[in-house]
Amino acid sequence: ERAAFALLAPWRRRPEVKIRARLNVSRGDDSTDTVDLVLDLAGMQIEAPAGTPDVTLTVAITDLVAARQTGDPLVGRLTGDPSSRRVFLDQFALSMSKR
């Protein structure tokens, strides 16, 4: 939840459509935290994972911090249909690395 509030929410834009994004953040100690971000015109809610998300972002916290500090593309894995991936990336002013 802290990663979502600190590293995603400040960049949030209004989405075109409602989407559910699953955020899997590894902390470097072999543990992963998972939350769902529900994004719509009303805002962003953080919820426990439920159902099937439109997109899933799997990322190391260090890579997410680095992308925010440098503005470089994010190293991680974003899955989902192309339209939902585009909405998610636009939503948080992110681009994905080609690696």
Side-chain angles (χ1 to χ4, degrees):
E1 287 182 15
R2 283 185 252 163
F5 281 122
L7 300 169
L8 295 175
W11 287 267
R12 185 185 175 283
R13 300 175 184 167
R14 296 183 110 184
E16 303 164 6
V17 295
K18 180 177 180 176
I19 68 167
R20 176 177 286 271
R22 183 144 305 146
L23 178 61
N24 297 315
V25 177
S26 61
R27 293 183 289 170
D29 59 1
D30 293 329
S31 64
T32 300
D33 294 323
T34 302
V35 295
D36 279 3
L37 311 176
V38 180
L39 310 163
D40 60 24
L41 289 174
M44 179 179 86
Q45 294 78 42
I46 297 178
E47 300 178 354
T52 303
D54 299 299
V55 296
T56 299
L57 176 63
T58 303
V59 64
I61 189 66
T62 54
D63 291 331
L64 186 53
V65 169
R68 286 301 182 206
Q69 288 176 335
T70 65
D72 289 342
L74 178 62
V75 175
R77 184 167 181 233
L78 182 63
T79 60
D81 69 83
S83 176
S84 295
R85 290 193 319 255
R86 181 187 54 77
V87 169
F88 178 83
L89 292 172
D90 288 348
Q91 181 72 166
F92 296 111
L94 289 169
S95 63
M96 295 301 295
S97 172
K98 302 293 185 208
R99 302 199 260 168

